[in-house]
Amino acid sequence: MQEIIQYLFSGITTGAIYAVIAVGLSMLYSSTELINFAHGEFVMLGAMAIVTLWVHMALPLPLAFAGAVALGCCMGLLFERLAIRTARTPQPIVLVIITVGASIFLRGVAMIVWGKDPFSVPAFSRHDSIEIAGAALLPQSIWIVGAAVLLAGGIHFFLKKTLTGKAMVACAVNKKAAWLTGIPSEKMGILAFAVSTGSGAVAGIFIAPITMSSYDMGTMLGLKGFCAAMIGGLGSLWGAFAGGILLGVLESLGAGLISSGLKDAIAFILLLLILYICPGGLFSAKEAKRF
Amino acid sequence: MLRIKNLKCSYGSIVAVHGVSLSVKKGELISIIGANGAGKSTLLLAICGLLKNWEGEIVFQDKDLKGMSPPAIVRSGISMVPEGRQIFSPLSVMDNLKMGAYTMYRKGLKSQVEEDFDMVMEMFPILRERAHQLAGTLSGGEQQMLAIGRALMARPRLLVLDEPSMGLAPKIVEMIFNVITTLQSQGVTILLVEQNARAALKISHRGYVLETGKMVLQGSADELLVDDDVKRAYLGRDYGDFYDGRDA
Ligand SMILES: Nc1ncnc2c1ncn2[C@@H]1O[C@H](COP(=O)(O)OP(=O)(O)OP(=O)(O)O)[C@@H](O)[C@H]1O
Ligand SMILES: [Mg+2]
């Protein structure tokens, strides 16, 4: 029992990070209809930036945090400007392939900048763990889950309640009609990229202390985030969030109770099952269509 | 107010509009009629900036529209109700109207936007009832009303409508046409593209006939309504003929 609770705690913690990655992906999808397969690399950039800024340069944590997020946003903007917007035939399939190419590029650059060795980052807060039903809950976990909820909630609020957020959704739904109502679609796309990659960097910052950070960590995390977003139904933010938590918990339980070698396989088994049984995702957004 | 000179639009090698000229004066209600594929929508897309590579001249209130982006054109005072409504289906009716007012919000004219909500809701009372419903669940007629309402939210000086009566019941068509005349009498200049030629000409001052990308005829609406060629090609019989006992 105690073991299971322990697995749940760690599952929810990693799950919250997957959730943030998935929300970033899903948010970009719902405002540009683009699936960014380079999203994981922005998570990696966030983690590596916190290594450099906080661990190596010993900047104060809030400053390092802001710097890492800013790096994620800026790289996202550059990516949009240099790779996405210059695409001569901006069909979805072309753009998706561009994102795959960009992920390879970013990984290569990271390898040159940070080298191949993994880094570790100490916990952000150094309090003792809290004991619940015999299982240890690290303060770090509370941090992570809290920040994830805050971030996803913020993005949700932005898209559902603010004028700019709604305009972003309108652009994704019908870009030409959005243009005709006076919404500058390109600017909305740029903003969506910045918010999405920035939130990816946040996920990277939070995952840094609970794993080893290296230039190639992004691929797996990006795919996990993609699985989570698919489980939730692409385009539904809360679905993506729930998908992330679910994936984290199942991974942790599967690794702990069955075999630790199974950890990464679980995400993909789950993805296949979802695609097979309910391809729209478990919590897919309600379609406002009449037929 | 709007002056188009020698406009030529093409899609790759297909030329859809060959050297069309037309003008719309302030306060006028002008209709453009023509068969399917005549290039009516193409002409409107060029006006509102969605079509980029056109040749010729489009001048609105002494401003050359060449190279302007669609949002800039909206800000300069032209709103379009596109063919097939093109509402934002996953957004609520209210939010669709808000999107229509995007440029107004950005100019900081929030109180005017509130007035405009009331104006649109008064014009189309059904939209008030449906305000919080998702736009995609509206009926075709309601969607058309929403599309018109959304375009009005930007307070256009020139309202461009592309086949607003398409696929609607006669009652709704009549209502929409009434709204169009009301708007015109309130001082909005209107450019209307219609298949429903008789109904459109009846409320218009002047009309243009477009045929395979060329402007073949123009004149006052009354002249066009009795023109033999127009009658044969576009007017045919409609309900009015049976009721009035006239024959086309
Ligand atoms: N994107 C496009 N690519 C190639 N050809 C196009 C494109 N859009 C329109 N056309 C062609 O341009 C011509 C004019 O089309 P347009 O849509 O302007 O006609 P329309 O007068 O609005 O017709 P309708 O009454 O059926 O709406 C047609 O022959 C059409 O096939
Ligand atoms: Mg048309």
Side-chain angles (χ1 to χ4, degrees), chain B residues 4-59:
Chain B
I4 298 181
K5 233 167 143 181
N6 227 342
L7 179 72
K8 208 176 138 204
C9 312
S10 34
Y11 299 100
S13 60
I14 307 166
V15 183
V17 173
H18 311 257
V20 162
S21 301
L22 68 86
S23 68
V24 182
K25 290 197 210 50
K26 194 167 189 310
E28 269 188 323
L29 200 173
I30 301 295
S31 47
I32 300 177
I33 58 178
N36 292 118
K40 308 179 295 297
S41 301
T42 306
L43 171 63
L44 298 194
L45 291 181
I47 296 175
C48 66
L50 276 186
L51 203 70
K52 287 254 166 293
N53 307 314
W54 45 266
E55 290 163 40
E57 199 180 53
I58 304 181
V59 177

Side-chain angles (χ1 to χ4, degrees), chain B residues 40-116:
Chain B
K40 308 179 295 297
S41 301
T42 306
L43 171 63
L44 298 194
L45 291 181
I47 296 175
C48 66
L50 276 186
L51 203 70
K52 287 254 166 293
N53 307 314
W54 45 266
E55 290 163 40
E57 199 180 53
I58 304 181
V59 177
F60 176 67
Q61 294 190 319
D62 300 324
K63 202 191 270 171
D64 189 357
L65 298 190
K66 184 108 214 172
M68 277 171 74
S69 72
I73 292 176
V74 173
R75 283 194 295 273
S76 78
I78 303 181
S79 279
M80 161 133 143
V81 182
E83 188 171 22
R85 293 134 206 173
Q86 317 287 349
I87 50 160
F88 305 120
S89 15
L91 265 53
S92 72
V93 167
M94 201 63 186
D95 285 344
N96 268 270
L97 293 178
K98 270 195 185 144
M99 291 301 110
Y102 188 86
T103 53
M104 296 288 285
Y105 280 117
R106 284 290 172 258
K107 287 179 195 162
L109 305 171
K110 218 171 164 183
S111 57
Q112 273 101 318
V113 174
E114 296 298 322
E115 285 169 30
D116 292 351

